[in-house]
Amino acid sequence: SQQGEEDPQALSIQEGENATMNCSYKTSINNLQWYRQNSGRGLVHLILIRSNEREKHSGRLRVTLDTSKKSSSLLITASRAADTASYFCATDNGSGYSTLTFGKGTMLLVSP
Amino acid sequence: EPEVTQTPSHQVTQMGQEVILRCVPISNHLYFYWYRQILGQKVEFLVSFYNNEISEKSEIFDDQFSVERPDGSNFTLKIRSTKLEDSAMYFCASSIMMGDPYFGPGTRLTVT
């Protein structure tokens, strides 16, 4: 079993549509973070949600966390072509040094 | 906005050679990390560093790897004798406290 599994693996939508990506994890967590990575580039931190939070917003991003189901979702509203990237969830299991366990990611393609 | 920087952006080396990847974390951060991402795979934790010593390391971080903070600003990852399978993108990250690490843009290491 693996921590931080996203689905779908790939998502293709049109500009203006909403994109929803899901992440499931196995162990208890301290927090869960979402990152974006453009092809071959670095990781850009999008949003962090702590284990005692259920929902968080940042601009066009909305993240939910359900610790009872060990799952999180990332919603990007009114998507743009520039949102095309891979999106990863990463969990911090609170081991003490903030090491993150990443999922395999969802590749989002937003077509103009 | 302060950011983590990494040099070089791309390093090509021959199998068996030593490489040093360099990182300058954000200046007031206390926790430092290295992660790697083999092409097409998950981002994987290598090592965390706090108070001038390794605080946690993964199974990947074997005797071929070492980290150092030589001068209070740089944070380096050394691979003593590179193997083909060390080819990956290596990300440095830092955080001021536990949680929410900031990632650098990565160094792409190609071992030939």
Side-chain angles (χ1 to χ4, degrees), chain A:
Chain A
S1 62
Q2 299 200 25
Q3 189 83 332
E5 294 291 331
E6 295 93 338
D7 78 86
Q9 290 187 338
L11 181 61
S12 184
I13 60 173
Q14 298 289 319
E15 258 189 335
E17 293 180 339
N18 295 342
T20 300
M21 289 160 270
N22 302 296
C23 168
S24 60
Y25 56 92
K26 302 289 185 183
T27 66
S28 61
I29 61 170
N30 192 40
N31 64 62
L32 185 145
Q33 306 182 38
W34 285 91
Y35 287 83
R36 184 184 75 220
Q37 184 182 36
N38 290 79
S39 180
R41 308 290 290 277
L43 295 163
V44 176
H45 184 262
L46 296 176
I47 198 163
L48 178 153
I49 187 165
R50 303 196 185 280
S51 60
N52 61 353
E53 296 176 308
R54 292 296 165 258
E55 188 170 313
K56 207 162 182 178
H57 297 251
S58 176
R60 292 185 296 113
L61 306 180
R62 174 176 166 253
V63 169
T64 63
L65 179 64
D66 187 337
T67 52
S68 66
K69 294 181 180 177
K70 291 187 167 58
S71 67
S72 174
S73 68
L74 170 67
L75 168 68
I76 303 174
T77 60
S79 62
R80 305 166 183 166
D83 294 329
T84 294
S86 290
Y87 291 82
F88 299 89
C89 70
T91 54
D92 173 358
N93 65 11
S95 66
Y97 296 101
S98 297
T99 58
L100 298 177
T101 302
F102 282 80
K104 289 184 179 179
T106 292
M107 192 176 303
L108 174 66
L109 174 63
V110 182
S111 301

Side-chain angles (χ1 to χ4, degrees), chain A residues 2 37 40 96-98 100, chain B residues 33 35 37 42 45 89 98-99:
Chain A
Q2 299 200 25
Q37 184 182 36
Y97 296 101
S98 297
L100 298 177
Chain B
Y33 315 85
Y35 288 77
Q37 184 183 32
K42 291 185 180 187
F45 167 72
M89 183 78 97
M98 292 183 288

